[in-house]
Amino acid sequence: MITIYTDGASRGNPGPGGYGVILMAGHHRKELSEGFRLTTNNRMELLSVIKGLEALKNPGSQVTVYSDSKYVVDAVEKGWLFGWEKKGFDKKANPDLWRRFLIIYRRHKVRFVWVKGHASNPLNNRCDELAVAAALASDLKVDHGYEESKGE
């Protein structure tokens, strides 16, 4: 069983942003983070889940993802995402990331658990620290999916 905690943050919406991820399996623990010069909070929330799942080495893994993002958790758990996919993500935000998510999501057995953000969950709080620190870094990357969709 693999556990992934995720969080995304942006300073402004849009603005500089980042994600933080903690992967845990048995006694192994790995932290991931990355920052972008111009993005949105929802993109970072979704990218954190994608990066966590992409870091897994074995297809078919049993995974529990803990996220404080209703945007991500509800889209999957309530089935909205699959309706959006059938309609080609027409007029939906972040189709590039949702398509990327679906590819990696379908390689594993994923269950989502929503956690209250900025509350008493130390692992979610650590993901938030990673995301904020990444958004403040001096070497921010380009979120091509966002910037190209905005014509920048």
Side-chain angles (χ1 to χ4, degrees):
M1 174 58 110
I2 298 167
T3 304
I4 301 176
Y5 279 82
T6 67
D7 199 19
S10 66
R11 301 179 56 77
N13 210 14
Y19 68 82
V21 178
I22 299 173
L23 296 111
M24 297 185 306
H27 65 277
H28 300 284
R29 176 176 163 151
K30 183 175 186 176
E31 294 184 349
L32 307 171
S33 63
E34 197 171 26
F36 297 87
R37 71 180 189 187
L38 185 63
T39 191
T40 66
N41 188 63
N42 280 344
R43 286 185 68 79
M44 293 297 96
E45 293 283 3
L46 180 51
L47 187 59
S48 69
V49 175
I50 292 167
K51 290 292 195 166
L53 293 172
E54 286 178 346
L56 303 179
K57 295 179 180 162
N58 300 318
S61 295
Q62 296 267 352
V63 184
T64 302
V65 175
Y66 291 86
S67 171
D68 64 6
S69 172
K70 284 285 192 182
Y71 173 67
V72 175
V73 174
D74 285 354
V76 178
E77 291 297 304
K78 293 184 177 182
W80 304 335
L81 172 59
F82 310 104
W84 301 343
E85 180 186 29
K86 286 179 186 170
K87 295 177 183 173
F89 296 95
D90 187 42
K91 298 181 182 156
K92 291 297 171 194
N94 309 314
D96 60 318
L97 291 181
W98 283 117
R99 286 184 180 101
R100 184 173 164 186
F101 167 80
L102 283 166
I103 291 168
I104 194 67
Y105 171 79
R106 289 181 170 135
R107 290 186 187 153
H108 303 288
K109 296 176 178 86
V110 183
R111 173 175 88 89
F112 281 86
V113 176
W114 180 79
V115 295
K116 185 175 180 175
H118 309 285
S120 60
N121 187 307
L123 294 171
N124 179 257
N125 290 342
R126 175 65 182 149
C127 287
D128 182 62
E129 290 171 5
L130 291 167
V132 170
L136 294 171
S138 60
D139 60 339
L140 297 176
K141 297 182 177 184
V142 175
D143 179 350
H144 292 282
Y146 182 78
E147 292 194 31
E148 290 168 13
S149 73
K150 301 301 176 204
E152 298 183 24

